[in-house]
Amino acid sequence: ARSLGISHYCPQHIDDILEIATIKPSINQVEYHVGSGDIDGVISKCQQHNITFMSFSPLCGPCQYQPKDSLISGDLVTRIAKKHNVTGSQVSLRYIVQQALQHE
């Protein structure tokens, strides 16, 4: 293999794999969206080891959620979207982009 991708690895998991892997992971794909828990530690660990952090499911949200929590038409994103004359999807995607910029 020329590259290795990992999924849902927390900082400790990243340390664990770096200790034994002969090929360093190049990307960590993590569920990340409006309402995700605090994952700054994961982002920082990825940056520290030059591992690309990739958001998966930025518009779907958690596997189980109430319609009012939808990342496309839920209460929070709809309220913000109306204020800025955009869609709920645009709010959710903008959140991901802004978070990425904060971690550069």
Side-chain angles (χ1 to χ4, degrees), residues 13-44:
H13 294 144
I14 294 170
D15 287 339
D16 291 346
I17 197 165
L18 289 173
E19 283 184 26
I20 62 171
T22 57
I23 299 173
K24 185 181 90 170
S26 60
I27 191 165
N28 185 14
Q29 189 179 49
V30 178
E31 183 175 342
Y32 187 52
H33 47 72
V34 174
S36 289
D38 181 18
I39 60 169
D40 288 343
V42 176
I43 294 171
S44 294

